C-alpha cells in the first residue's frame, strides 16, 4: 500500500531532476542519442507524409479519433492539452513536435526526441483508425478503449497489479519469452506486448488479451497504445488537467510503475520510442549485449541474462513484491481473473443452477476449528468423469479474535476473486447461486479439490491478517451432504439478510471513507454508507468496517455522522470536513443523496454513470459494459471523461450497480422514479431485485417495464414517445432543475 | 578477400576461367583486369556519402565535415543518390516497355509491317485484367484500347493512378500506397518529379526522399509489367524449351551471332532473319547460322525461341575472346563499352542498333521497326561477312555446355500445377508450404558484379536453398548463371534438391508426363529481368490463395550479384510490394545509418518487405532461409490464433 515505486528522495525534486547525473557528461552515449535522433526524424517524417496525404484525401475537417474513449488522442490531450477531433488540427501539433528534434546529441534532447516520437506514433495510429474501429482480430488489441482502462482501475489502485511491463521485439525463443511473460503474469503485472513477442506468446499458448490483463497490442506504432493507456490514468483517475505536462509526467513516474523490456534487434524508431518511455520516467531494459555508448545507467540498461531480467527490471523501477507462496499446482494471479472456461475445455462444474452448490464463510469459536485443515468429503477429482456436473459446497470456518459475524459476508464474497485468480479455475455468483468450473488443463496439472482449501486459507490469512487467525476449509462433493449443508447455509444467509435489511444510514453512527483510489486519483474520496456502496461496486459499508479493522490507518476511515446540514440531501458537517481535508482541499461539500446538488466525486473506476435527461425530466444510467450511444448524446467513454478524476459535475455521477437498488438512490432528486433509461444488460442483471425495489418505493412492479433501454432507442427523440406511452412517472414529477 | 582481389580469375564459370587462362598476358583486356586496376575503390562513393549533384561539390561526409557545403547531411545525400539510382533503373525498364508499346501501337493502327499479334489469348487475358472489353471485339480493337491505356501509364499527369499496379497487386497494397502517397500517376511524371525533387536545394527529408524512391520503383514495376505483358502478346507467351548453355554452344563451322542486350523487338527479328538466311551462310562457307544470347535479350529469345544462352553479363567480353563470335548484335542496357576494344583484337563485329546505345568504332545499323526484317537481314549479312574473316587458328571454344530446360511463364507453371489440382492450381504450392514439404519460394534475379566472385554467390545460395527445400524461380543474369552451370535441368534436382523439393518436383513430373517431355529443372527460369513481374505475379497469386497480404507470403528475393541501377529499382519495388530482398553486394547506403535503418528494418514495419545486405553467400543463404522461416512461422501462428480465438479472418499484421 505504501509502496510507490519511487525513491523518496526523488519525490521532492522537480521532474526533470530525476535524470540528473545519469549520464557521464565526459563520455555521453552518443551512439544511442544518434539513434534516438534518427528514429525521431523517421517517425515524425513518416507521420507527416501520412497526415498530409490523409488531409489531401479526406479534407482537414474530417474527424479523427480512437474508438471508445473520452480522451481524444490521449497522448496529445494529456501532454499538451489539445482535444483533437479533426485531421487539420494535427498539423500544428506535429510541426511543434518536428521542431523540438534537435541535432545536438544529449540526454535532454534524446528525451524530447522520445516525446516527438510518441506524438508521431499517436498520429500514425489515429490515422490508421480512419479505416474503421475494428482493425485487429483477437488476440491483437490495437487501441484499448476507456472501459478497459477503468475495468482494471481497482486492481491498479490497490497495487494488486504491482506494475506494467511493456514487452517488445522478439525473444531468442518462444520458450524463453513464455517463461518471462508467465513469470510476470504470476506476479500480477499488467502486460503490454508489441512485435513478434506477441506471435511467440500465441505460439506458447499463453493466455492473452484483455481478459488476462495481457494486452497484445500489435506491431510497430501500435506500441503507443501502452502509452495512451497509461496517460489516460492521469486524466481519468489523477484529475490532473490536460496539458500540465510536467504534472502528468510526474504522475506517470509516481503512480504507473511501468518499465520496458526489449528483446532482439533494435531499429532507430524503436530506440526513439524507448526514449518516449524514459521521458515519462520509465526505464528501458534491453535483453541484448549493448556497447557502452548505447547505455545509460538506471535508464537504458543492457541485460542479456533472461533469467534475472525481470528481477532487475523490478529493482530498477523500485517495485517490491509481496510474494505469497500457495501450495497449489497452478498459477494464482489477477491475470487469470477474467479467464473463461468454455464447456469444451471444462473438466467439471458445480452450481450455476444446474446442480446444488453453496459457499459459506462461518465465524466459529476458538475450539471449533483446526487451523489449516482441508477436508474433502465425497469423491475427489480423479473419481469424477471428465465433463461432469456434480454437487459441491465449500464451507470455510474462520476464527479470529477481532472477527465479527458482520464480516462473514465480506469474506465470503472474496471467494469469488480468490478462486478466479487460480489459472484454470472459474467462479461466478455467490452463496447458493455460486457456480464453479475447473478446466481440463488445470486437472492435468494435478488439481484436486483440496487445492480450493489451500488457496482460500492462504489468501484469507494474507489479505485479512488482522481479523483472520485460523481457517479451516471443508469441500463437500457428496450429494447428500451438500444438500444437508446447504440447509445450514440457507439459515445463515437468511440471518445475514435480516441484519442487512436493518442496516440503514439512519441506524449507524459512522460511515466509512474509501481513499483506496488515491494512489491514482489523489483528489477523490468515496463516502461509503450502509445504503450507498463505493462507486466501483467493490466496497460496501461492511467492507469498509472490516478493512478498518484490519488496517486502522488504511484507506477506510470511520467518519462520524455529526452535524446534520440537510438530512434530505444527505449532507453532514463531519462528512464535508473529511472530504475537504482528504481531497487536497478541492471539494468543500458533498451530498450523499443527490446527483444534481454537490454530488459525490468519482475516481474513475465507476461501474455506472448516471446523467440527467432534461427532456424526460429524469435520469439515465449507462455502464462500462455498454459501449453504445445513450439518450444524453454521449457514450460511456465520453461521459466518463467528464466525471472522473475527483471533480463535481452536477447532473452527472459515477456509482456502483447495486446503488440503483438502494432506498437512498438519488433520494433527494426523486429516487428510482427518475430512472428513464438503462442498458438492457443492466436491467437483466438487476432482475427481480429491481422490481422489488420499485414495489418497495411504491412505483409498482411494472415500473421496470417503463424504463427504456437501447432496444427502444438511444436518443431522447426515440425514447420520449415510449415513456409517454408507458406513463413513466418522471414525466409528471416536479422539474429536476 | 584481399588476396582474391589481386587475382583476375574472379569467376567460378569453368568456361570463363578457361578463356581467362588462355588470354592471360595476351594484352587483351576485360572487366576482370579493369576491376583490379580500379582498386582501391572510393569508400565515400561506395557507402553513398559522396554528393556530386551540384558543382559546388563533390562533397563527401567525413568526421571533420559532417555536412555538405549546402548543409546536406549524410541521410539527405544517401537518399538522394538512391532515388537517382532507382530512376536510372526505372527509366531503362520503362523505355524498354515503351518501345514494345510503340511497336504494338503500329499494329493497332493497322501498320503491321514485320510484327503481328502472336498471342491473341494473352491479349484478351491482359485486356480483361485491365477492364478492357473483349467480348465481340477484334484483336486490333482490343489492342488499340490496351495500347492507349499503356501509353497513359507512361504519360498521365494526374487524375487517375496507375492501372497496371492497381490491377496486378492485392488491394491491401494499393491502399497502403495511397496512404503513403507513393501511388504513381505515371512513369514519366514520376521520373521528372523525382529528378526535380533531388535537384540541389530541394528535398532534404530522408523519409520523403526514400518514399519517392519507392514511388519511382513502383514505376519501374509498371514499365516492366507492361514490357512483359506486351512482349508476350507480340511474340508469344513462353512455353517450355530445351537447349544448352555456356560457351560450348559456339560452333566452329557456323556463323555465330551473339544477341546481347534486353529488348526482344530486335533479337526476335534477328533470329527470324538468321533462320531464313542459311543459304547465304552456306554460300560463305559456313554450315549455317547459330544465334545465341547474352544478358536479357538472350533470355527473351531463349524463353520463346529456345536460343541457347552463350554467357551472362560479366563474361560478355570473354565470349568474344573465344575468337568464334562473328557478330555481337546489341540493343540496350548492360552492354559494356569494353566489348568494342575486345572485338578489335578479333574479327568480331560489334553491331550497335539503337539511337540511345552507340559505341564508337562499332558497326551501327539504325534499327527501324517499320523495316525490321530488312534491317535484321542487314545485320545477319554483316555477321556472315565477318565469318569469312574469322581466323580459325585463334578460335578456342571451351567445350563446356549444360542442358537447359526453360520457358516457364507463370501461365506454364500454373498449367503444370493444374495437372495436380485443376480447380486451384496455386494451392499445390501453398499446400506444400503449409505441410512443410517446401520451405517457401525464392526468386533469384539480378546481375553480376566483380565485387564478389562471378557466379559464385548465385550458385552457392541457390544450391543451399534447394537443399533446404525452397522452390526456386529465376530471371536475368542469375538465370544466366544457372543455365551455364547446369542448374536448369533435372540432373541438378538429383544432385542438389532436398527431399521435400524433390518430392514436390516429382509430383509435378508424374502429373505432367503427357504434357512435358522433360522432367522439371531444379530452378524455373521465368525470363528476362523485366519478367521479374512474372515472379511477382506468382507471389501475388500465392497471397490470394492464402487470402493474405503479400508480407505474409513466404517468398523471398535475392540479387546475389546486383550491379545495375535496374537491380536497385527492382529490389526497391520488391520491398515496397512486400518481399524480403537479399542483396549480395552492399549498395551505397550504409553511409547513412538512418537510411540504412529504414532499408534494413523499418521498411518491414511500413511495407512488409525489407533489405538484407550480405556478401558471404553461405551467410546469405542462412538469412534467406531465416526470412522464409519467419514468415511460415508467423503464418502458422496466426492460423493457430484464428482457430483458437475463432476469428473470421486471419490477422493482418505481419
Amino acid at each position: 500500500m505504501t509502496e510507490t515505486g519511487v525513491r523518496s528522495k526523488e519525490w521532492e525534486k522537480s521532474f526533470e531532476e530525476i535524470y540528473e547525473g545519469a549520464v557521464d557528461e565526459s563520455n555521453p552515449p552518443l551512439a544511442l542519442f544518434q539513434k534516438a535522433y534518427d528514429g525521431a526524424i523517421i517517425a515524425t517524417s513518416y507521420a507527416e507524409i501520412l497526415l498530409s496525404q490523409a488531409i489531401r484525401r479526406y479534407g482537414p475537417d474530417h474527424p479523427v479519433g480512437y474508438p471508445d474513449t473520452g480522451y481524444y488522442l490521449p497522448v496529445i490531450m494529456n501532454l499538451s492539452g489539445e482535444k483533437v477531433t479533426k485531421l487539420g488540427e494535427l498539423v500544428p501539433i506535429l510541426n511543434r513536435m518536428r521542431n523540438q528534434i534537435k541535432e545536438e546529441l544529449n540526454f535532454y534532447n534524446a528525451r524530447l526526441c522520445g516525446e516527438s516520437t510518441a506524438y508521431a506514433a499517436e498520429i500514425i495510429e489515429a490515422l490508421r483508425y480512419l479505416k474503421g474501429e475494428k482493425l485487429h482480430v483477437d488476440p491483437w488489441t490495437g487501441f484499448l478503449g476507456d472501459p478497459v482502462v477503468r475495468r482494471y482501475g481497482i486492481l491498479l489502485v490497490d497495487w494488486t497489479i504491482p506494475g506494467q511491463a511493456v514487452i517488445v521485439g522478439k525473444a531468442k525463443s518462444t520458450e524463453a519469452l513464455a517463461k518471462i511473460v508467465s513469470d510476470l503474469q504470476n506476479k500480477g503485472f499488467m502486460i503490454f506486448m508489441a512485435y513478434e513477442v506477441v506471435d511467440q506468446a500465441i505460439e506458447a499458448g499463453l493466455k492473452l488479451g484483455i481478459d488476462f490483463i495481457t494486452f497484445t497490442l500489435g506491431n510497430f506504432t501500435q506500441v503507443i497504445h501502452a502509452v495512451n493507456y497509461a496517460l489516460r490514468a492521469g486524466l481519468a483517475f489523477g484529475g490532473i488537467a490536460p496539458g500540465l505536462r510536467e504534472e502528468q509526467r510526474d504522475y506517470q513516474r509516481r503512480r504507473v510503475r511501468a518499465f520496458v523490456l526489449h528483446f532482439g534487434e533494435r531499429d532507430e524508431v524503436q530506440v526513439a520510442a524507448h526514449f518516449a518511455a524514459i521521458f515519462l520516467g520509465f526505464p528501458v531494459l534491453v535483453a541484448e549485449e549493448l556497447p557502452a555508448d548505447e547505455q545509460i545507467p538506471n535508464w537504458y540498461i543492457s541485460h542479456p541474462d533472461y533469467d534475472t531480467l525481470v528481477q532487475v527490471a523490478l529493482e530498477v523501477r523500485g517495485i517490491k513484491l509481496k510474494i505469497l507462496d500457495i501450495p497449489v499446482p497452478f498459477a494464482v494471479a489477477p491475470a487469470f481473473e477474467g479467464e473463461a472456461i468454455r464447456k469444451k475445455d471444462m473438466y467439471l462444474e458445480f452450481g450455476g443452477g444446474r446442480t446444488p452448490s453453496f459457499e459459506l464463510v462461518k465465524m466459529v469459536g476458538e475450539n471449533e476449528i483446526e487451523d489449516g485443515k482441508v477436508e474433502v468429503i465425497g469423491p475427489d477429482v480423479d473419481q469424477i468423469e471428465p465433463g461432469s456436473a456434480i454437487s459441491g459446497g465449500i464451507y470455510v470456518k474462520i476464527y479470529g479474535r477481532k472477527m465479527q459475524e458482520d464480516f462473514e459476508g465480506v469474506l465470503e464474497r472474496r471467494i469469488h476473486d480468490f478462486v478466479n485468480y487460480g489459472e484454470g479455475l472459474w467462479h461466478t455468483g455467490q452463496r447458493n447461486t455460486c457456480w464453479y468450473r475447473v478446466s481440463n488443463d488445470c486437472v492435468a496439472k494435478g488439481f484436486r479439490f483440496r487445492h480450493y482449501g489451500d488457496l482460500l486459507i492462504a489468501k484469507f490469512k494474507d489479505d485479512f491478517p488482522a481479523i483472520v487467525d485460523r481457517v479451516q476449509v471443508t469441500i463437500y462433493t457428496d450429494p447428500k451432504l451438500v444438500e444437508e449443508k446447504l440447509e445450514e447455509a440457507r439459515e445463515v444467509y437468511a440471518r445475514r439478510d435480516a441484519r442487512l435489511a436493518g442496516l440503514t444510514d439512519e441506524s449507524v453512527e459512522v460511515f466509512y471513507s474509501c481513499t483506496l483510489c488515491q494512489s491514482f486519483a489523489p483528489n477523490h474520496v468515496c463516502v461509503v454508507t450502509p445504503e450507498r456502496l463505493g462507486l466501483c461496486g467493490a466496497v460496501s459499508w461492511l467492507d469498509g468496517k472490516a478493512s478498518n479493522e484490519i488496517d486502522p490507518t488504511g484507506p477506510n476511515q470511520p467518519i462520524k455522522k455529526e452535524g446534520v446540514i440537510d438530512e434530505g440531501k444527505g449532507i453532514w458537517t463531519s462528512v464535508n470536513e473529511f472530504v475537504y481535508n482528504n481531497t487536497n482541499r478541492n471539494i468543500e461539500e458533498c451530498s450523499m443523496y443527490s446527483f444534481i446538488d454537490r454530488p459525490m466525486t468519482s475516481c474513475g473506476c465507476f461501474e455506472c454513470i448516471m446523467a440527467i435527461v432534461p427532456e424526460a425530466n429524469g435520469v439515465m444510467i449507462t455502464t462500462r459494459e455498454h459501449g453504445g450511444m445513450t439518450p444524453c448524446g454521449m457514450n460511456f467513454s465520453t461521459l466518463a471523461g467528464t466525471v472522473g478524476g475527483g471533480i463535481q459535475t452536477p447532473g452527472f455521477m459515477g456509482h456502483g450497480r447495486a446503488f440503483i437498488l438502494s432506498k437512498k438512490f438519488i433520494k433527494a432528486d426523486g429516487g428510482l422514479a427518475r430512472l428513464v433509461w438503462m442498458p438492457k444488460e443492466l436491467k437483466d442483471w438487476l432482475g427481480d431485485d429491481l422490481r422489488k425495489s420499485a414495489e418497495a418505493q411504491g412505483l409498482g412492479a411494472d415500473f421496470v417495464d417503463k424504463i427504456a433501454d437501447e432496444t427502444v432507442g438511444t436518443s431522447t427523440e426515440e425514447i420520449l414517445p415510449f415513456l409517454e406511452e408507458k406513463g413513466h412517472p418522471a414525466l409528471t414529477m416536479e422539474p429536476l432543475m | 578477400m584481399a588476396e582474391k582481389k589481386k587475382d583476375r580469375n574472379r569467376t567460378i564459370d569453368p568456361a570463363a576461367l578457361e578463356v581467362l587462362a588462355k588470354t592471360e598476358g595476351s594484352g587483351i583486356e576485360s572487366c576482370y583486369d579493369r576491376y583490379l586496376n580500379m582498386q582501391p575503390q572510393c569508400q565515400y562513393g561506395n557507402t553513398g556519402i559522396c554528393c556530386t549533384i551540384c558543382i559546388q561539390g563533390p562533397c563527401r561526409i567525413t568526421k571533420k565535415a559532417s555536412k555538405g557545403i549546402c548543409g546536406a547531411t549524410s541521410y539527405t545525400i544517401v537518399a538522394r543518390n538512391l532515388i537517382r539510382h532507382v530512376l536510372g533503373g526505372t527509366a531503362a525498364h520503362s523505355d524498354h516497355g515503351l518501345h514494345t508499346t510503340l511497336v504494338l501501337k503500329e499494329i493497332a493502327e493497322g501498320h503491321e509491317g514485320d510484327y503481328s499479334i502472336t498471342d491473341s489469348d494473352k491479349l484478351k487475358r491482359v485486356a480483361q485484367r485491365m477492364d478492357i472489353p473483349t467480348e465481340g471485339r477484334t484483336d486490333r480493337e482490343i489492342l488499340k484500347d490496351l495500347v492507349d491505356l499503356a501509353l497513359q501509364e507512361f504519360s498521365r499527369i494526374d487524375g487517375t493512378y496507375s492501372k497496371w499496379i492497381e490491377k496486378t497487386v492485392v488491394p491491401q497494397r494499393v491502399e497502403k500506397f495511397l496512404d503513403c502517397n507513393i501511388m504513381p500517376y505515371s512513369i514519366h511524371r514520376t521520373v521528372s518529379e523525382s529528378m526535380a525533387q533531388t535537384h540541389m536545394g530541394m528535398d532534404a527529408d530522408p523519409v520523403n526522399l526514400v518514399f519517392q524512391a519507392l514511388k519511382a520503383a513502383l514505376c519501374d514495376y509498371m514499365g516492366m509489367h507492361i514490357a512483359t505483358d506486351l512482349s508476350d502478346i507480340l511474340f508469344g507467351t513462353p512455353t517450355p524449351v530445351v537447349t544448352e548453355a555456356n560457351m560450348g554452344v559456339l560452333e566452329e563451322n557456323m556463323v555465330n551471332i551473339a544477341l546481347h542486350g534486353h529488348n526482344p523487338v530486335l533479337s526476335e527479328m534477328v533470329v527470324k532473319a538468321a533462320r531464313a538466311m542459311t543459304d547465304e551462310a552456306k554460300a560463305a562457307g559456313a554450315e549455317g547460322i547459330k544465334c545465341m544470347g547474352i544478358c536479357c535479350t538472350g533470355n527473351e529469345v531463349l524463353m520463346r525461341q529456345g536460343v541457347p544462352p552463350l554467357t551472362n553479363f560479366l563474361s560478355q567480353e570473354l565470349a568474344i575472346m573465344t575468337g568464334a563470335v562473328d557478330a555481337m548484335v546489341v540493343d540496350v542496357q548492360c552492354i559494356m563499352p569494353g566489348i568494342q576494344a575486345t572485338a578489335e583484337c578479333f574479327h568480331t563485329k560489334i553491331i550497335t542498333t539503337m539511337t540511345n546505345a552507340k559505341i564508337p568504332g562499332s558497326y551501327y545499323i539504325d534499327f527501324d521497326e517499320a523495316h525490321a526484317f530488312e534491317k535484321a537481314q542487314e545485320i545477319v549479312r554483316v555477321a556472315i561477312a565477318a565469318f569469312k574473316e574469322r581466323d580459325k587458328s585463334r578460335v578456342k571454344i571451351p567445350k563446356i555446355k549444360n542442358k537447359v530446360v526453360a520457358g516457364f511463364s507463370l501461365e506454364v507453371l500454373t498449367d503444370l500445377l493444374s495437372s495436380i489440382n485443376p480447380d486451384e492450381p496455386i494451392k499445390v504450392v501453398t499446400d506444400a508450404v503449409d505441410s512443410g514439404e517446401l520451405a517457401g519460394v525464392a526468386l533469384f534475379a539480378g546481375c553480376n558484379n566483380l565485387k564478389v566472385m562471378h557466379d559464385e554467390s548465385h550458385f552457392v545460395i541457390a544450391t543451399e536453398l534447394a537443399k533446404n527445400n525452397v522452390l526456386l524461380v529465376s530471371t536475368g543474369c542469375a538465370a544466366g548463371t544457372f543455365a551455364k552451370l547446369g542448374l536448369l535441368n533435372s540432373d541438378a534436382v538429383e544432385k542438389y534438391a532436398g527431399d521435400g523439393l524433390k518430392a514436390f518436383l516429382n509430383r509435378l513430373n508424374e502429373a505432367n508426363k503427357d504434357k512435358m517431355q522433360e522432367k522439371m529443372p531444379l530452378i524455373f527460369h521465368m525470363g528476362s529481368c523485366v519478367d521479374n513481374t512474372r515472379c511477382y505475379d506468382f507471389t501475388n497469386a500465392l497471397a490470394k490463395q492464402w487470402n493474405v497480404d503479400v508480407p505474409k507470403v513466404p517468398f523471398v528475393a535475392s540479387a546475389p550479384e546486383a550491379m545495375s541501377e535496374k537491380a536497385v529499382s527492382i529490389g526497391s519495388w520488391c520491398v515496397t510490394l512486400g518481399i524480403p530482398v537479399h542483396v549480395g553486394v552492399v549498395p551505397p547506403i550504409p553511409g547513412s545509418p538512418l537510411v540504412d535503418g529504414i532499408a534494413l528494418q523499418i521498411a518491414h514495419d511500413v511495407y512488409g518487405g525489407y533489405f538484407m545486405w550480405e556478401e558471404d553467400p553461405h551467410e546469405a543463404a542462412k538469412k534467406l532461409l531465416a526470412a522464409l522461416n519467419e514468415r511460415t512461422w508467423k503464418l502458422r501462428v496466426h492460423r493457430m490464433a484464428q482457430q483458437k480465438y475463432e476469428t473470421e479472418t486471419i490477422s493482418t499484421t505481419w
Side-chain angles (χ1 to χ4, degrees), chain B residues 71-93:
Chain B
T73 57
S74 60
Y75 59 64
T76 302
I77 293 172
V78 168
R80 229 161 31 186
N81 289 341
L82 175 68
I83 295 196
R84 292 205 162 181
H85 269 133
V86 171
L87 290 176
T90 300
H93 282 140

Side-chain angles (χ1 to χ4, degrees), chain A residues 437-450:
Chain A
R437 273 184 172 180
V438 182
S439 76
N440 287 319
D441 283 349
C442 193
V443 172
K445 283 181 190 159
F447 174 81
R448 295 296 178 267
F449 286 125
R450 68 158 295 119

Side-chain angles (χ1 to χ4, degrees), chain A residues 37-39 41-43 45-46 48-50 53-54 56-58 98 103 131 135-140 170 174 195-196 198-200 202-209 218-220 222 265-270 342 344, chain B residues 67 71 73 75 161 175-182 205-209 211 592-598 601-602 604-607 630 633-634 636-638 640-642 644-654:
Chain A
Y37 171 80
D38 286 355
I41 297 258
I42 295 169
S45 287
Y46 179 44
E48 178 277 311
I49 289 171
L50 296 180
Q53 177 72 346
R56 275 179 221 117
R57 288 178 84 185
Y58 308 112
R98 281 161 63 92
E103 275 184 5
K131 313 260 179 209
L135 300 178
H136 300 267
V137 296
D138 289 342
W140 288 268
K170 185 179 183 188
T174 288
Y195 292 96
E196 282 75 17
V198 176
D199 306 289
Q200 292 181 313
I202 294 169
E203 187 181 34
L206 295 182
K207 293 177 173 155
L208 306 172
N219 289 351
F220 195 38
Q222 276 114 70
E265 289 181 354
R266 298 160 306 142
D267 62 45
E268 284 78 3
V269 173
Q270 288 172 333
R342 284 174 297 184
K344 66 179 171 72
Chain B
K67 290 176 183 174
T73 57
Y75 59 64
Y161 291 107
E175 195 55 29
K176 171 62 90 181
F177 301 155
L178 289 172
D179 284 344
C180 293
N181 196 22
I182 61 164
D205 182 327
V207 181
N208 211 41
L209 285 163
F211 275 32
S592 162
L594 188 154
V595 179
D596 208 35
I598 293 177
Q601 293 174 304
I602 296 154
H604 174 255
D605 294 315
V606 177
Y607 293 106
E630 180 80 3
W633 170 68
K634 275 198 188 177
R636 186 166 53 76
V637 170
H638 292 187
M640 224 162 94
Q642 189 184 2
K644 181 168 174 182
Y645 295 91
E646 296 172 351
T647 58
E648 216 169 285
T649 52
I650 193 167
S651 168
T652 54
T653 60
W654 59 66

Side-chain angles (χ1 to χ4, degrees), chain A residues 354-497:
Chain A
R354 298 169 195 198
T355 57
S357 69
F358 73 90
E359 61 197 24
L360 182 68
V361 168
K362 188 89 178 20
M363 184 177 94
V364 297
E366 197 177 353
N367 299 319
E368 301 166 69
I369 188 167
E370 190 181 326
D371 186 32
K373 184 176 178 185
V374 180
E375 246 186 312
V376 178
I377 303 181
D380 207 339
V381 178
D382 50 1
Q383 293 154 295
I384 293 166
E385 285 295 307
S388 302
I390 61 163
S391 296
I394 294 183
Y395 195 123
V396 182
K397 287 182 184 174
I398 288 181
Y399 162 76
R401 271 156 296 161
K402 289 189 173 175
M403 180 69 184
Q404 301 176 18
E405 223 165 74
D406 271 354
F407 300 158
E408 282 181 354
V410 171
L411 298 185
E412 194 176 289
R413 272 188 291 112
R414 297 306 301 275
I415 292 177
H416 171 73
D417 302 324
F418 296 161
V419 170
N420 270 331
Y421 285 180
E423 185 180 9
L425 302 183
W426 178 82
H427 180 279
T428 186
Q430 55 168 331
R431 291 184 167 182
N432 57 343
T433 63
C434 63
W435 185 1
Y436 286 73
R437 273 184 172 180
V438 182
S439 76
N440 287 319
D441 283 349
C442 193
V443 172
K445 283 181 190 159
F447 174 81
R448 295 296 178 267
F449 286 125
R450 68 158 295 119
H451 295 130
Y452 279 131
D454 294 330
L455 172 64
L456 293 174
I457 290 170
K459 291 298 282 181
F460 276 128
K461 287 193 167 183
D462 188 58
D463 276 23
F464 301 95
I467 53 174
V468 173
D469 293 329
R470 298 179 193 170
V471 189
Q472 179 181 342
V473 180
T474 310
I475 296 103
Y476 294 96
T477 59
D478 176 334
K480 260 176 75 184
L481 281 173
V482 171
E483 288 290 353
E484 212 177 294
K485 292 288 163 189
L486 186 54
E487 275 317 300
E488 184 189 335
R490 282 204 181 103
E491 282 165 33
V492 178
Y493 302 148
R495 203 164 62 230
R496 268 191 223 156
D497 285 343

Side-chain angles (χ1 to χ4, degrees), chain B residues 379-450:
Chain B
I379 288 167
V380 174
R381 269 183 206 114
V382 174
I384 294 170
F387 173 79
K388 286 194 255 184
E389 305 292 316
R390 195 194 282 179
D391 179 351
K392 287 200 175 154
S393 70
R394 295 186 69 198
V395 172
K396 286 165 189 156
I397 302 171
K399 300 290 171 223
I400 294 164
K401 55 184 177 179
N402 280 294
K403 183 174 173 180
V404 169
V405 181
F408 295 95
S409 57
L410 183 57
E411 287 86 341
V412 167
L413 269 187
T414 310
D415 182 49
L416 295 173
L417 294 167
S418 73
S419 302
I420 298 175
N421 185 342
D423 299 326
E424 293 177 292
I426 299 297
K427 196 161 181 292
V428 178
V429 180
T430 56
D431 281 352
V433 174
D434 286 340
S435 72
E437 183 177 56
L438 293 179
V441 186
L443 159 65
F444 282 84
C447 335
N448 302 128
N449 188 325
L450 273 165

Side-chain angles (χ1 to χ4, degrees), chain A residues 93-163:
Chain A
I93 296 171
L94 180 58
N95 276 323
R96 205 171 62 230
M97 286 301 122
R98 281 161 63 92
N99 201 238
Q100 73 170 22
I101 301 168
K102 305 288 181 206
E103 275 184 5
E104 190 189 341
L105 301 177
N106 59 43
F107 193 15
Y108 179 76
N109 282 344
R111 293 196 297 276
L112 290 183
C113 285
E115 187 188 25
S116 293
T117 302
Y119 272 70
E122 184 87 323
I123 291 170
I124 292 164
E125 280 300 299
L127 294 175
R128 258 176 13 100
Y129 277 88
L130 293 176
K131 313 260 179 209
E133 295 202 345
K134 185 82 183 132
L135 300 178
H136 300 267
V137 296
D138 289 342
W140 288 268
T141 64
F143 180 78
L144 296 155
D146 293 355
V148 182
V149 177
R150 294 177 194 285
R151 176 167 161 192
Y152 294 109
I154 297 279
L155 295 178
L156 285 172
V157 299
D158 72 358
W159 304 118
T160 299
I161 294 173

